[in-house]
Amino acid sequence: MKITKTQIFAVVVYMGIPLLLAIIPKQVDTSKDGTYCADVKYFNPKTGKESTYTVPVEVEDEQVIKINFYNGGWIDESHFERELIINGESTVITDENVTYKIKLLYDSDCD
């Protein structure tokens, strides 16, 4: 049995496109207000401490307004200026000069 170029092309398209769609990063739709799961990188320049958390954040008007932590704590817009979320990412700097780099993962609470 001889395999033709057309058959090879069909297999590549049939298997390749779904594979590509699975590995291409998806953009999170930030147009709706609510809770999103996010990777949050914390940096405190006074202490040099860096940490990364996967935590729920609250979004309003395409801006992060609150970062919730699993210990029950949070930081909200009363301690930082709102910044627009661009391509699923935003950075906020608190009134104590602590930086939070936020990357939204999906629009739901973190599991």
Side-chain angles (χ1 to χ4, degrees):
M1 178 170 140
K2 184 178 178 183
I3 298 175
T4 67
K5 289 181 183 178
T6 304
Q7 290 171 318
I8 293 171
F9 177 76
V11 169
V12 169
V13 169
Y14 180 75
M15 297 190 69
I17 289 176
L19 180 61
L20 282 173
L21 291 175
I23 62 173
I24 293 173
K26 295 169 183 67
Q27 292 294 325
V28 177
D29 177 13
T30 58
S31 64
K32 60 182 187 173
D33 296 347
T35 302
Y36 290 74
C37 186
D39 282 340
V40 177
K41 293 182 181 178
Y42 162 92
F43 175 66
N44 185 332
K46 289 181 185 174
T47 63
K49 182 177 179 185
E50 295 181 58
S51 298
T52 301
Y53 308 95
T54 301
V55 294
V57 300
E58 294 178 28
V59 171
E60 183 178 278
D61 298 326
E62 299 189 53
Q63 300 169 337
V64 174
I65 60 168
K66 187 176 183 182
I67 303 169
N68 295 293
F69 299 101
Y70 288 114
N71 66 0
W74 73 88
I75 188 157
D76 64 17
E77 63 186 322
S78 67
H79 295 282
F80 58 78
E81 296 288 324
R82 289 181 173 205
E83 295 293 332
L84 193 62
I85 299 167
I86 300 172
N87 295 324
E89 298 183 7
S90 183
T91 299
V92 296
I93 301 173
T94 70
D95 50 7
E96 294 184 359
N97 207 32
V98 173
T99 301
Y100 293 90
K101 292 185 178 184
I102 303 155
K103 179 175 180 161
L104 301 181
L105 303 174
Y106 51 87
D107 62 339
S108 178
D109 205 347
C110 300
D111 296 331

